[in-house]
Amino acid sequence: MSTQLGTMEELPQSYRDAMAAASVGPLWPQMRNALPHGAPKPVTRSHLWSYAMLRPLVIEAGELTPVEKAERRVLFLADPGRGPGTMQATSTIYAGLQLLKPGETAPAHKHTPSAARIVVEGEGAYTVVDGEKLPMVAGDVILTPTGCWHDHGHSGTAPVIWLDALDLPLFMFLEGSYAVESPLQAPRNRPDTSEVEYATAGLAPRRNRSKRPDAAFPMMRYPWARTEAALRQMAAHHGGEAVELDYINPETGEHALHVLGFTALMLRPGETLKPALNSASALFHVVQGSGVSTVNGAVHHWSAKDTFSAPVFADIEHHNPNDAPAFLIRVHDTPLQEKLGYYEERALS
Ligand SMILES: [Fe+2]
């Protein structure tokens, strides 16, 4: 059977005009765009955002725009496959580098999209989520889930920069993206739940499970020091297998957020890792170390604080040529795809 379908140009102009006037369109010329044969054709183009290139622009944004005018002073990562100005790093992942200068605050808001903040540099800043004060230390992952009030402040002495990852593209697609503003929150006077209630893996406070009011997002902060220690411990005793940990909800074991998921990945010295092709798009943020990753033939030489993207079903190979381990955080959209009954992995040929 031929796969050649008719084109728009083959149709008489009068018919095309009549369709336009009737607000309809012919499917057959676009059939292969909507349903490509055999495998998806991603629009996303793998790209490396070098922190050395981005940092001066982020700092300059702080000079050009006072935080009162910007509220959220962010440079977002625009997927080259979609072009400049696109608020998407992949099909489902929005990501942006946000700057906070010492003494600055940003008012509270809450919104339908969920976010996670990966702290890139600086110390002394904090995020308050539903009254929980969360210190921001480099490498930490901090959740600001859907519908949760969040604001931030900075009592340190140097700029703090973090990478925000949001499911914003999905909510824009749903025409469901909006925010509500509020003044700064009064934080509770105690450490966050990662230190108080979930300080040890496998242990959670004893409560009547049916009455847990905060089970949706019980832990908002995943301190990097603990993540790195867990990765190193696993690497030492896990044979030749990949060293990758999921960020999970400590009450349910499910992904930490509804739409986007997060993993921490360690590449041992000299290790080459070739993950299975899978239907999730991804963003890799380098916390520590350097290496090289090939994504669909694009070769990215990365070092600490860089970020690179991978489209769906990307052919990926990571390599750490150094004597020291490298650590990356992977943002992906597997939770969404699992909820759709769609997530797919393909064995490597
Ligand atoms: Fe926000």
Side-chain angles (χ1 to χ4, degrees):
M1 189 179 72
S2 167
T3 58
Q4 295 299 311
L5 297 176
T7 66
M8 197 72 163
E9 290 68 33
E10 288 167 3
L11 299 169
Q13 187 61 48
S14 57
Y15 184 68
R16 290 154 66 179
D17 292 345
M19 284 190 296
S23 295
V24 295
L27 175 61
W28 61 96
Q30 302 199 55
M31 183 75 177
R32 294 291 170 249
N33 290 335
L35 291 168
H37 272 296
K41 282 188 181 168
V43 177
T44 305
R45 196 188 314 157
S46 179
H47 186 73
L48 171 79
W49 288 271
S50 147
Y51 193 64
M53 189 181 287
L54 296 192
R55 189 182 187 280
L57 295 174
V58 173
I59 296 294
E60 194 174 350
E63 290 156 14
L64 296 171
T65 314
V67 77
E68 306 80 55
K69 272 193 177 179
E71 188 173 311
R72 264 55 175 175
R73 201 193 284 112
V74 177
L75 293 183
F76 59 79
L77 310 186
D79 167 32
R82 294 177 165 82
T86 303
M87 291 171 63
Q88 284 174 260
T90 75
S91 51
T92 52
I93 304 170
Y94 160 98
L97 281 170
Q98 181 156 352
L99 169 70
L100 196 64
K101 295 200 284 189
E104 289 182 338
T105 58
H109 70 185
K110 61 179 182 179
H111 36 68
T112 44
S114 290
R117 302 174 162 187
I118 303 170
V119 184
V120 180
E121 72 163 68
E123 51 190 50
Y126 56 87
T127 298
V128 182
V129 181
D130 279 353
E132 192 90 349
K133 186 173 181 177
L134 309 160
M136 302 179 84
V137 179
D140 287 0
V141 172
I142 291 172
L143 307 182
T144 63
T146 178
C148 295
W149 290 108
H150 53 284
D151 57 59
H152 46 249
H154 187 356
S155 50
T157 55
V160 165
I161 298 173
W162 65 83
L163 181 73
D164 258 325
L166 277 81
D167 50 18
L168 181 65
L170 175 67
F171 278 84
M172 291 181 74
F173 178 79
L174 294 170
E175 298 185 342
S177 184
Y178 71 98
V180 182
E181 285 78 31
S182 168
L184 289 172
Q185 305 167 80
R188 281 191 285 278
N189 185 27
R190 47 156 258 190
D192 66 274
T193 59
S194 73
E195 296 181 41
V196 174
E197 296 180 312
Y198 304 102
T200 302
L203 294 178
R206 192 197 69 79
R207 289 178 213 150
N208 181 335
R209 299 189 76 83
S210 65
K211 290 184 179 170
R212 287 190 181 187
D214 53 355
F217 306 105
M219 194 171 98
M220 304 284 195
R221 174 174 179 247
Y222 297 76
W224 175 254
R226 275 166 31 186
T227 308
E228 182 181 329
L231 289 168
R232 286 180 181 273
Q233 184 72 2
M234 199 169 147
H237 302 285
H238 215 243
E241 290 180 57
V243 183
E244 189 167 17
L245 291 167
D246 279 315
Y247 288 84
I248 58 167
N249 178 322
E251 291 282 357
T252 64
E254 297 295 324
H255 297 286
L257 290 174
H258 294 322
V259 175
L260 296 184
F262 308 87
T263 72
L265 177 64
M266 174 177 149
L267 294 174
R268 302 174 178 91
E271 184 172 10
T272 299
L273 196 61
K274 201 165 163 50
L277 300 187
N278 69 81
S279 57
S281 68
L283 210 55
F284 293 86
H285 178 73
V286 185
V287 178
Q288 208 176 298
S290 61
V292 58
S293 295
T294 307
V295 184
N296 289 342
V299 180
H300 302 309
H301 292 271
W302 43 259
S303 54
K305 307 181 192 309
D306 290 348
T307 305
F308 59 95
S309 60
V312 300
F313 289 111
D315 187 350
I316 301 173
E317 184 176 285
H318 304 295
H319 178 57
N320 175 11
N322 305 303
D323 295 335
F327 297 93
L328 299 97
I329 293 174
R330 179 171 67 102
V331 184
H332 58 86
D333 52 8
T334 306
L336 169 67
Q337 297 193 1
E338 287 176 346
K339 288 180 177 70
L340 296 174
Y342 161 65
Y343 180 75
E344 189 182 346
E345 281 189 9
R346 294 185 180 183
L348 297 170
S349 52

